[in-house]
Amino acid sequence: MTELSEGHDDPFGLHLAALAVLDDRGVVVGWNRRAQELLGHSGTAVIGRRACEVLVDPRELPAVREAAAKCRRAGGWSGVLKVRHHDGRLVEMGIRAHAVPRHDRVTEWMLAGAPAADVLEWQRDRAVLDGLFRRCPIGLVVHGTDLRLLRVNRAIERFSGVPAADFQGLPTGCFLLPDDARKAVERVRKVMETGRPLVYSEQFARLQWDPTRERVVMVSSFPMEDPSGRILGVAEMIEDITERHRAQRRLALLDQAGSRIGTTLDVAETARELAEVMVPHLADHASVDLLRPVTRGEEPTRALAGAVVRLGASSVGAQQAGPPHPHGDPVEFGSDTPQARCLAEGRPVLEPVLPPDWFSRSGHQGAHAPDLGVHSLIAVPLVARGLVLGVMTLWRSRRPDPFEADDLTLAQELASRAAVAIDNARRFTQQQQTAFALQSSLLPRAVADQSAVEVALRYLPASAAPGLGGDWFDVIPLSGARVALVVGDVVGRGIHAAATMGRLRTAVHTLASLDLEPDEVLSRLDDLVNLLAAEQEAAGERPVDERVVGATCLYAVYDPVSGCCSLARAGHPLPVVTTPDGQAAPLDLPAGPPLGLGGLPFESREIDLAEGSLLCLYTNGIIGERHMDADTALARLCAALTRPADALERTCQAVVDSLVPERPSDDVALLIARTRTLPADDVASWRLPPEPASAARARELTAATLSEWGLDHLAFTTELIASELITNVYRYAGGPATLRLIRERSLVCEVSDTSHTAPHLRRARTTDEGGRGLFLVAQLTERWGTRYTREGKTVWTEQPLTGTLT
């Protein structure tokens, strides 16, 4: 039977309860002040009278008699009855009754009463307290002021596996590993010292008798006080959130992987990103090994364990060297290793617990663990589009808990995402290699052999921008020992830009062979770009940014005989000229519209270049980098060109080092030419009048000059060539003629006149008296042709110096 409580909040406590004593006949023999306060009856009014007469309403007699009967049978009773107040109203009271035996064998009954509402509230509080310690799934720990455990509930018993009674009197945190116990003690001490609660703090709770299992708990701590405010201890609500924490960690890892893996279209970088994401969130060590064909952008046909390359590795701690194979080294896995099975079968392997002798077993020596302290392993194949690209290996050595099935599922998800990124990077690499091969085939492989200039070239593809660029350069030998220098840039990127660059370069070669003026060459190119753009528009090719919308170009022709250089540009950056004394400055040249606008004129400019001058042509990648403005870049370019006597290759590299970053954002094409002039005694020129005798005079001058040059073996053919060309001028052109002989890598014979009429090569009939001159010239020379100037035309021929043609 429940006795009267001494609790300060118990409504049946001695200081709160209404007390009455009844003898065995139901007569009131005792009445306290609290009973008078609650029911209004004074002690003198009720003592000596039957309780049923004073305190019970007649309507409640059946209930009272039933309760009295139960009380006599059981020796006590508790429940709710309606008691009559002094003013006649009924008061619902919670009542406890129990027998009080006396020495004279007379039994009296002690009744304790309290308002029913107070009793119900107190009962609910007791039920809550009982629920917290017996039924609540959340752990409850009560700490004393001496930092020892006073009580724990059954949830802590289930969590720890230790009976709740065994915790009483133990130090706080006694069942945790030292690091976790220290944090628990600090938390309780802080709450006890400050009196302020700590809500929802996370802590690792690794038990001493189960250190390999990592648990995470959510702890809310609050002080316990008596009515005076004195702290009696600290209570903590502890919830096991291990699974929730793991789920959140997995989601965070998946989110991090989505933002970090595949940021570039680079196979090696993607492999490194995958390894770095895994550590330390999922593993202590991670390595990513790809099949060798994948690293080259090729599609693997078979997953061979002996043909992989390590491209990603990461380990916990700066002092860790990581897996023994550095980046880019080949790795060989034994046939019985998890990695080999992954590659061969395309399925993951989980080794939750590795026995101590695992690495010494036959075949496992090739498993390449980062250190012999690892105790758990996961190997996951990297599979995309049904192709095994490589294998990812995860190890645990520092973290005590082994890999579980959930870890394997997460690793597979991450590996699957990374494999798609790696395959995209592989396919991009393959396309880039194909495109670069195309682009390389379109650019000049070697500089043509000529005497006019010494050249140095650089082509640097952009490393950051997607696709190929349309930058190009060229050095084209022309007639009369001249040379054409060309630099151009097609707008846009990709295969379309590269292919258009190749078409423009071919067109420039064709136009150069016609010996057109620079402005005329650009006009013809402008027409071609418009035609290409119209073709692509008509075809409806996509995407739009790959359409040919224009190009820029700079075309220059240098004559080593006169030292004159004629230039024209179509929206291209200004060339830089360095004089022999080291003065470098941009050349003031009319801008001209970019190619592709159509209908706008181009303008040429002629300048005289002394021997040893530098002419620098380049594309926008040299001065258009974002890390500096164009004026600063142009100043740096000029500064790098102020030593014209230095080796040209060294000067070219100095320009690159000064202006081009390690990873340029735009393609760079650079052409630097050092001018040469032909010696005066290697050039002979005469002006001949338009008369029949001029042909004989041309033969005499030619013979005498070739004899002086030691080229007597070419005298006969050259005399015939000069005679025929001078005769054509006299017959068909009218006006004076100019005969010029040039000795350089070949013997050049030129005849110029003021007519723009083109000479035609034709086959004469047997009865024709003429028409065989140009035919003879074509048979006797290695090359011949006609170029036009504003003053007329020049017919030129070339013969090798080593002998006559056969």
Side-chain angles (χ1 to χ4, degrees):
M1 186 66 202
T2 305
E3 302 291 338
L4 293 179
S5 172
E6 297 293 336
H8 71 277
D9 58 347
D10 186 353
F12 292 111
L14 291 177
H15 63 291
L16 293 178
L19 300 177
V21 180
L22 306 182
D23 63 12
D24 196 42
R25 296 173 300 163
V27 176
V28 179
V29 296
W31 191 261
N32 74 345
R33 181 178 298 175
R34 180 61 175 163
Q36 181 176 338
E37 293 174 355
L38 291 176
L39 298 176
H41 300 285
S42 64
T44 57
V46 295
I47 292 177
R49 300 178 62 183
R50 290 175 61 85
C52 289
E53 298 174 357
V54 181
L55 302 174
V56 179
D57 185 273
R59 292 170 295 180
E60 298 296 323
L61 277 175
V64 171
R65 287 171 181 162
E66 182 181 357
K70 291 180 179 179
C71 184
R72 288 180 184 277
R73 288 195 300 269
W77 178 86
S78 64
V80 177
L81 291 175
K82 291 182 180 180
V83 181
R84 185 165 56 190
H85 193 273
H86 179 265
D87 60 8
R89 59 188 173 88
L90 298 181
V91 179
E92 200 169 39
M93 298 284 289
I95 297 175
R96 287 182 180 177
H98 64 275
V100 180
R102 290 174 48 177
H103 298 294
D104 54 2
R105 296 185 179 181
V106 176
T107 300
E108 292 183 343
W109 302 89
M110 171 72 75
L111 277 68
D118 294 348
V119 173
L120 291 175
E121 182 178 357
W122 177 78
Q123 287 177 338
R124 284 195 296 267
D125 291 344
R126 289 296 297 268
V128 169
L129 186 62
D130 179 73
L132 286 175
F133 280 97
R134 294 178 181 275
R135 298 177 180 83
C136 181
I138 298 176
L140 177 63
V141 180
V142 181
H143 307 267
T145 55
D146 58 353
L147 294 179
R148 289 187 175 274
L149 300 179
L150 299 178
R151 189 176 179 185
V152 301
N153 69 349
R154 289 182 180 177
I156 295 295
E157 181 180 278
R158 293 189 296 270
F159 174 77
S160 62
V162 178
D166 294 351
F167 282 96
Q168 189 171 0
L170 294 177
T172 296
C174 60
F175 56 94
L176 300 176
L177 291 180
D179 286 345
D180 297 341
R182 175 179 50 79
K183 295 176 182 178
V185 171
E186 290 175 355
R187 182 180 61 251
V188 173
R189 181 180 287 115
K190 182 178 181 181
V191 173
M192 199 171 297
E193 291 175 352
T194 63
R196 293 193 298 269
L198 291 177
V199 181
Y200 298 144
S201 60
E202 289 188 9
Q203 182 186 339
F204 287 101
R206 294 166 293 181
L207 304 178
Q208 288 188 352
W209 49 85
D210 190 11
T212 62
R213 185 178 178 188
E214 184 182 74
R215 294 176 171 88
V216 182
V217 295
M218 181 80 74
V219 183
S220 293
S221 309
F222 54 92
M224 300 182 299
E225 301 175 349
D226 62 11
S228 66
R230 181 170 60 93
I231 293 179
L232 303 177
V234 172
E236 291 189 315
M237 305 292 291
I238 301 176
E239 182 182 2
D240 186 354
I241 61 168
T242 303
E243 292 304 320
R244 186 195 313 168
H245 181 80
R246 289 180 178 176
Q248 290 174 346
R249 188 170 60 187
R250 292 187 182 104
L251 289 175
L253 186 56
L254 287 171
D255 181 67
Q256 184 183 34
S259 61
R260 289 187 57 186
I261 298 176
T263 58
T264 65
L265 288 172
D266 182 90
V267 173
E269 183 63 25
T270 305
R272 284 193 294 270
E273 291 168 347
L274 174 60
E276 291 170 359
V277 164
M278 294 296 177
V279 177
H281 306 288
L282 189 60
D284 296 325
H285 316 278
S287 61
V288 178
D289 305 304
L290 301 180
L291 297 175
R292 192 181 298 277
V294 175
T295 65
R296 299 192 295 260
E298 302 170 5
E299 187 168 299
T301 54
R302 278 189 63 196
L304 302 176
V308 297
V309 177
R310 179 146 298 170
L311 292 183
S314 182
S315 293
V316 174
Q319 73 276 13
Q320 290 285 347
H325 290 266
H327 167 73
D329 276 13
V331 180
E332 293 187 7
F333 295 115
S335 59
D336 194 34
T337 59
Q339 295 93 334
R341 299 203 302 273
C342 272
L343 291 170
E345 301 173 7
R347 292 185 293 180
V349 175
L350 169 63
E351 297 282 354
V353 179
L354 300 177
D357 64 340
W358 193 83
F359 292 104
S360 61
R361 295 178 186 174
S362 176
H364 289 175
Q365 295 89 345
H368 302 301
D371 60 62
L372 295 180
V374 298
H375 58 81
S376 191
L377 172 150
I378 286 178
V380 182
L382 300 171
V383 181
R385 297 188 303 112
L387 298 174
V388 177
L389 308 177
V391 61
M392 175 181 70
T393 309
L394 306 179
W395 314 84
R396 280 186 180 173
S397 59
R398 289 187 168 193
R399 188 180 305 184
D401 52 318
F403 286 117
E404 300 176 348
D406 288 345
D407 297 321
L408 179 61
T409 301
L410 178 60
Q412 285 182 276
E413 174 66 23
L414 294 172
S416 177
R417 295 187 181 188
V420 173
I422 290 173
D423 190 54
N424 288 339
R426 177 195 67 79
R427 298 170 72 182
F428 175 77
T429 300
Q430 185 180 44
Q431 292 176 1
Q432 284 291 88
Q433 289 174 346
T434 302
F436 283 132
L438 169 64
Q439 189 178 42
S440 298
S441 67
L442 296 175
L443 291 171
R445 298 294 182 93
V447 177
D449 191 22
Q450 42 77 39
S451 304
V453 292
E454 175 191 359
V455 296
L457 306 168
R458 288 289 187 278
Y459 179 81
L460 303 173
S463 58
L468 300 174
D471 295 23
W472 92 93
F473 49 73
D474 227 327
V475 179
I476 307 172
L478 301 177
S479 63
R482 297 169 307 133
V483 66
L485 306 174
V486 190
V487 170
D489 184 1
V490 175
V491 176
R493 305 196 65 81
I495 295 294
H496 284 297
T500 302
M501 175 268 288
R503 298 174 76 173
L504 292 182
R505 180 172 176 254
T506 301
V508 169
H509 271 263
T510 302
L511 295 173
S513 67
L514 298 177
D515 271 320
L516 301 177
E517 295 291 328
D519 55 343
E520 182 64 21
V521 170
L522 295 183
S523 294
R524 303 287 181 88
L525 285 179
D526 184 54
D527 295 338
L528 176 60
V529 171
N530 282 323
L531 178 61
L532 295 178
E535 288 178 353
Q536 290 189 342
E537 287 289 341
E541 296 181 359
R542 295 291 188 274
V544 174
D545 58 359
E546 290 186 354
R547 296 181 181 178
V548 177
V549 296
T552 66
C553 184
L554 176 62
Y555 188 88
V557 175
Y558 174 69
D559 186 348
V561 176
S562 64
C564 179
C565 183
S566 178
L567 309 94
R569 66 185 179 120
H572 205 78
L574 288 170
V576 174
V577 174
T578 304
T579 59
D581 60 358
Q583 300 297 317
L587 180 62
D588 185 13
L589 189 64
L595 301 176
L597 294 184
L600 298 176
F602 299 93
E603 185 177 351
S604 296
R605 181 185 173 189
E606 293 184 354
I607 61 170
D608 292 327
L609 297 178
E611 185 173 14
S613 299
L614 297 184
L615 179 60
C616 179
L617 313 181
Y618 53 90
T619 56
N620 197 53
I622 286 285
I623 61 173
E625 283 293 333
R626 297 177 182 175
H627 66 281
M628 70 178 77
D629 60 70
D631 292 339
T632 301
L634 194 56
R636 284 194 185 183
L637 176 60
C638 292
L641 296 170
T642 55
R643 300 173 63 88
D646 286 355
L648 207 55
E649 285 294 330
R650 189 191 314 163
T651 301
C652 197
Q653 189 59 44
V655 171
V656 172
D657 294 341
S658 176
L659 291 160
V660 182
E662 183 178 354
R663 297 177 65 85
S665 59
D666 192 7
D667 291 359
V668 172
L670 175 65
L671 186 158
I672 303 178
R674 178 184 286 124
T675 61
R676 299 168 177 159
T677 58
L678 294 182
D681 55 1
D682 283 344
V683 180
S685 180
W686 304 276
R687 191 171 181 82
L688 301 175
E691 56 186 31
S694 293
R697 178 60 177 163
R699 290 193 294 271
E700 293 174 4
L701 295 172
T702 298
T705 302
L706 294 183
S707 177
E708 182 181 344
W709 288 348
L711 299 175
D712 295 292
H713 60 286
L714 296 177
F716 175 76
T717 57
T718 308
E719 286 181 39
L720 181 58
I721 292 169
S723 176
E724 288 296 333
L725 295 181
I726 290 294
T727 301
N728 283 344
V729 172
Y730 167 70
R731 286 183 175 180
Y732 306 112
T738 300
L739 172 65
R740 184 168 72 167
L741 299 178
I742 302 174
R743 179 181 61 177
E744 47 123 17
R745 298 178 185 273
S746 61
L747 177 62
V748 178
C749 177
E750 297 180 344
V751 173
S752 304
D753 59 57
T754 58
S755 171
H756 289 86
T757 302
H760 295 285
L761 178 65
R762 65 185 181 89
R763 182 175 298 275
R765 294 189 294 266
T766 305
T767 57
D768 288 343
E769 296 182 1
R772 298 177 178 83
L774 284 180
F775 179 78
L776 291 175
V777 168
Q779 297 301 310
L780 296 174
T781 60
E782 186 176 47
R783 293 198 312 149
W784 76 280
T786 305
R787 66 174 181 267
Y788 296 89
T789 64
R790 292 180 176 82
E791 294 78 21
K793 69 175 183 296
T794 298
V795 181
W796 54 269
T797 66
E798 291 181 3
Q799 301 173 78
L801 297 179
T802 54
T804 59
L805 293 174
T806 57

